[in-house]
Amino acid sequence: MQRIAIIGGTGMTGECAVDHALQKGLSVKLLYRSEKTVPERFKSKVELVKGDVTNYEDVQRVIEGVDAVAVILGTRNKLEATTELSRGTENLIKAMKEAKLTKFSIVMSSFLLRPLNEVPTVFHRLNEEHQRMLDLTKACDLDWIAILPPHIADEPATAYTVLHDEAPGRLVSKYDLGKFIIDSLEQPEHYRKVCGIGKSPKSA
């Protein structure tokens, strides 16, 4: 893996994923909507592709010539009903199949690992959209890694734990999450798995 596309690389976690990819020596293509959200340090280091994940042609452009894709779509703290994330997921899967790409990691939420009655009501609509993303991801015959983090903390990297189909904790550092989003693309043990991630108990 030498060249990756990152969709959603300008949010808190996305920036950490871009930084980790660059530290690994990877070439990065970044889909962005507005230049004001692109960190200054990225401008000379990544290939910027202006566009929107809900526009199929933009998705085609950002994945052209890459080996794998990382998807960190967020709502910038908006919690109302949306289908932007699932439409973006649908576009990505279709474009990847067309481009004969197979590997992508995609971030949702650990609320999907809990019964609905344990999910705070305020998150229900976003949770429904994450469920649509997960359903689309699981139905595709690509090498996907579905990453379901708990609360993402703005704190230093620590040791972290990854479990399939369960949540190992209630907290993960944004740096550890960014690292796993990229590293998992080369870890076949996580392909076609729903991955819970959390701060390791010994470092909690």
Side-chain angles (χ1 to χ4, degrees), residues 1 68-71 96 102-108 134 137-138 140 142-149 162-164 180-197:
M1 185 171 79
V69 184
V71 183
M96 284 186 66
T102 59
K103 293 193 293 248
F104 74 102
S105 57
I106 184 164
V107 178
M108 293 162 232
L134 184 58
T137 298
K138 287 168 106 171
C140 79
L142 302 173
D143 291 329
W144 49 267
I145 306 104
I147 304 171
L148 277 53
V162 175
L163 296 175
H164 295 153
F180 183 66
I181 289 165
I182 304 303
D183 289 352
S184 63
L185 291 165
E186 297 186 289
Q187 295 171 337
E189 65 269 27
H190 298 307
Y191 292 175
R192 303 192 184 195
K193 300 286 186 190
V194 175
C195 299
I197 183 171

Side-chain angles (χ1 to χ4, degrees), residues 81-98:
T82 180
T83 58
E84 268 190 35
L85 311 183
S86 57
R87 282 186 291 137
T89 304
E90 206 165 9
N91 280 343
L92 174 71
I93 290 167
K94 183 181 171 194
M96 284 186 66
K97 287 181 175 179
E98 200 175 276

Side-chain angles (χ1 to χ4, degrees), residues 11-17 19-20 41 151-158 171-181 197:
M12 180 177 80
T13 302
E15 282 190 32
C16 295
D19 284 332
H20 183 67
R41 69 184 185 279
H151 174 70
I152 302 164
D154 185 3
E155 60 176 52
T158 60
L171 185 80
V172 67
S173 156
K174 65 180 185 177
Y175 299 103
D176 290 328
L177 180 56
K179 182 177 190 300
F180 183 66
I181 289 165
I197 183 171

